[in-house]
Each structure stands twice: as structure tokens, then as C-alpha cells.
Amino acid sequence: MEKMNKAFEQVKMMVGMKVEEQQAATLDNESSFAFMDDFNRNCTLTTKQRLYGFAICFATRVTCTMLSMFVFLKPIKFGITFTLGNLLSLGSLVHVYSSLMH
């Protein structure tokens, strides 16, 4: 809850709303990458595991995209497979990004 309040106060500062001076001083002292630092500390995957995750997500994405082309005339099936393919594409990018950060 504290992180959420700090983020809300930071947004207030960016928009130009007034923030209590004590809160503004504590926000300026903290790193803006605190969330990513916490995330990296809690993530225990090795680089090899991340690349495997990327390969699996990418291959599944290509499969879903190809399937969506076969069911193009059935709107519901097309929408589901195409959306799933796009979500898997985003997932594969997350795996690549996180493997590059380590």
C-alpha cells in the first residue's frame, strides 16, 4: 500500500498538483527504478530458462497466428486465436527483455 501511495504522489507531482513537502522530499530521494529492483530480486530464472520461455512463447504465437488465418471466416475463433497470438508475442518480448537485463 505504501508503494501505491508513493506512486500516486509521484503522479501528482508530474501533473503539477501540490504535494506535501515532506512527501515530495522522500519521493525525490528514492530511485525511480525501485519496482524493477524488487522485481529482479524476486525473479529466479536463469538466462537459459528465459530464452527457453521466449522460444516457447514465440513458437506458440506463430502457431496461433497461422491458425487465425485458417479460421478467418469464423469471427469468434479468429478473434480468440489472433488475440492469443498477440498476447504471446508480448510475453515473448518480456522474456527477451528480462534476459537482456541480467
Side-chain angles (χ1 to χ4, degrees):
M1 187 68 171
E2 183 179 327
K3 287 183 183 181
M4 199 164 158
N5 287 334
K6 289 179 185 177
F8 187 65
E9 295 298 325
Q10 210 168 24
V11 169
K12 280 184 180 179
M13 287 174 49
M14 289 175 16
V15 177
M17 294 175 66
K18 290 186 178 181
V19 179
E20 294 180 21
E21 291 180 22
Q22 181 184 14
Q23 290 176 343
T26 58
L27 287 174
D28 290 337
N29 291 337
E30 292 183 9
S31 171
S32 63
F33 296 105
F35 172 75
M36 286 304 291
D37 291 339
D38 289 342
F39 178 77
N40 287 333
R41 267 187 254 117
N42 293 327
C43 191
T44 59
L45 295 176
T46 65
T47 304
K48 189 174 183 180
Q49 290 171 331
R50 292 171 202 270
L51 292 176
Y52 282 146
F54 162 74
I56 291 168
C57 284
F58 187 78
T60 310
R61 178 196 76 95
V62 170
T63 304
C64 284
T65 304
M66 291 300 154
L67 284 175
S68 70
M69 296 305 145
F70 290 127
V71 294
F72 184 72
L73 297 176
K74 299 177 182 176
I76 294 174
K77 289 182 181 180
F78 171 77
I80 290 171
T81 55
F82 195 74
T83 302
L84 184 61
N86 287 330
L87 291 174
L88 287 166
S89 177
L90 291 173
S92 67
L93 290 175
V94 168
H95 282 289
V96 168
Y97 177 74
S98 61
S99 67
L100 292 176
M101 293 304 291
H102 281 89

